[in-house]
Amino acid sequence: MAADPRAVLVTGGAGYIGSHAAKALHRAGRRVVVLDSLVAGHRAAVRFGPLVEAEVADVEAVRRALRDHDIGAVMHFAAFLDVGESVRAPVRYYRNNVTGALSVLEAMAAESVRCFVFSSTCATYGEPIETPIGEHHPQAPINSYGESKLAVERALPHFERAYGIRSIALRYFNAAGADPDGELGEDHSPEIHLVPRAIEAAAGGRPLEIFGDDYPTPDGTCLRDYVHVSDLADAHVAALDALVAVGRSGAYNLGSGRPHSVREVIAQVETVTDRSVPRSIAPRRPGDPAILYAAAQKARAELHWAPRCSDLETIVATAWRWHRAHPHGYHGG
Ligand code: UFG
């Protein structure tokens, strides 16, 4: 009997983007099973289907999950994501992000599961030679995080040829914000991303360091493309639908297409929270390109995806709401 294509295994589904994708799938009428080691994920973020507590590198455990739950498609989020750490400790990134993904693909091949949506990143492009960045921009990562994601992207056509696994790689720009219903949010330890860090500073926590104000940008700080995590989640559902309906593998950028500077984000946080963000200027962070933003027309045209809540105000407002309700993340209530 063919597996149910509406049944989706979400690896890393207890994490930030994975949990939002699980919610979007559930809303779209799919059956969700989360596979997560809970090393970085949160049990409390698993609300839309059962949790299989396992490492993605455990091929037997992934095979069992695919079989036991009659899974027809996999969304693979489980990965390490700290760019700075990836420069210091590449072995962790190759082991977890590359070997982990290959284990999932190996399990899928063995169990004849043939739809794969992969969580990739704009870090696969490296230092951009032109902006906005389209999917055909050369992929030349400048850190092992980006390399680890690109290695998996490069493996995908081989798995399609050999085992018939069709796949879509989604290259996110800067994921930010929180579930507009307030059920899910960002809870990394330690927190490194700009929006939650600025909110933490506004709420009286560690002051924010601005990593460099001497970039060749209008206000001297880096420009990034912030995209709401719920919009990313919707794009995963659209990608899976396209994969099932059209059956064509591919890669898509996911961004709002609008660049915002670090100072603009801080100003938005001050407006939304009605508090000041204590900050200082710190040296540039190694590996930070000055400008990254997406040309995301391909996802609009082919996946019929359009961001609905990726304006900076909604991103910050939803993240602030999450922070106020959960100042210590999932564990703090
Ligand atoms: N920044 C600060 N201070 C902070 C944190 C961030 O000034 O405390 C700045 C960064 O220098 C950068 C911007 O805010 O200019 C955004 O930084 P984030 O850490 O929030 O996000 P990144 O742009 O580093 O990371 C994102 C994704 C990665 C992806 C990377 C590609 O989270 O998955 O873009 O460069 F790999």
Side-chain angles (χ1 to χ4, degrees):
M1 195 178 69
D4 180 358
R6 287 168 301 119
V8 185
L9 185 72
V10 181
T11 75
Y16 174 45
I17 306 175
S19 61
H20 286 79
K23 177 168 182 168
L25 284 164
H26 178 73
R27 268 203 175 151
R30 309 303 197 282
R31 188 158 58 76
V32 174
V33 177
V34 167
L35 186 140
D36 200 296
S37 67
L38 299 183
V39 167
H42 306 280
R43 192 181 296 276
V46 182
R47 298 179 175 200
F48 309 100
L51 169 69
V52 176
E53 200 175 325
E55 298 279 348
V56 282
D58 183 345
V59 179
E60 282 312 314
V62 179
R63 284 188 66 170
R64 220 172 15 254
L66 296 174
R67 261 197 322 268
D68 290 354
H69 297 277
D70 190 29
I71 296 292
V74 175
M75 289 190 181
H76 180 58
F77 294 91
F80 292 148
L81 50 70
D82 181 337
V83 171
E85 183 195 48
S86 85
V87 175
R88 295 188 300 274
V91 69
R92 271 168 69 76
Y93 284 72
Y94 280 89
R95 183 174 296 137
N96 193 53
N97 296 5
V98 182
T99 312
L102 296 183
S103 301
V104 172
L105 287 162
E106 181 183 342
M108 288 175 66
E111 299 298 332
S112 304
V113 176
R114 300 209 168 91
C115 284
F116 186 67
V117 179
F118 177 57
S119 174
S120 190
T121 168
C122 65
T124 59
Y125 295 116
E127 190 72 54
I129 54 176
E130 61 184 26
T131 50
I133 300 173
E135 287 83 356
H136 292 297
H137 187 286
Q139 289 182 288
I142 56 172
N143 48 60
S144 76
Y145 169 71
E147 285 288 2
S148 70
K149 293 285 184 172
L150 182 56
V152 177
E153 280 200 26
R154 291 214 164 121
L156 295 175
H158 302 288
F159 280 76
E160 179 161 9
R161 258 193 304 277
Y163 311 113
I165 297 174
R166 285 163 300 165
S167 62
I168 286 184
L170 297 174
R171 298 176 188 150
Y172 320 145
F173 281 67
N174 284 55
D179 174 32
D181 304 332
E183 264 189 301
L184 306 166
E186 190 165 7
D187 181 1
H188 294 122
S189 187
E191 190 50 76
I192 54 168
H193 294 114
L194 178 62
V195 172
R197 281 289 299 112
I199 283 177
E200 189 186 336
R206 280 181 297 154
L208 180 72
E209 290 185 322
I210 297 177
F211 297 139
D213 67 349
D214 56 352
Y215 283 98
T217 59
D219 69 16
T221 64
C222 290
L223 296 176
R224 291 287 182 276
D225 181 335
Y226 297 89
V227 55
H228 197 284
V229 64
S230 297
D231 285 334
L232 291 181
D234 289 345
H236 286 75
V237 179
L240 186 55
D241 285 349
L243 208 47
V244 171
V246 185
R248 194 172 53 234
S249 296
Y252 296 87
N253 283 343
L254 297 180
S256 72
R258 285 186 306 270
H260 292 289
S261 73
V262 173
R263 287 194 200 281
E264 279 179 83
V265 173
I266 293 170
Q268 188 67 68
V269 169
E270 291 188 324
T271 303
V272 166
T273 62
D274 200 22
R275 301 174 188 205
S276 70
V277 173
R279 66 223 188 224
S280 59
I281 304 299
R284 290 182 179 194
R285 190 171 63 177
D288 263 348
I291 303 174
L292 289 174
Y293 67 105
Q297 289 86 344
K298 189 180 172 197
R300 283 175 169 74
E302 296 183 15
L303 303 180
H304 312 294
W305 170 78
R308 287 179 299 154
C309 39
S310 290
D311 59 284
L312 205 49
E313 186 181 350
T314 307
I315 285 175
V316 172
T318 54
W320 173 232
R321 183 174 163 205
W322 166 256
H323 180 88
R324 283 216 295 191
H326 305 269
H328 306 291
Y330 285 100
H331 298 299

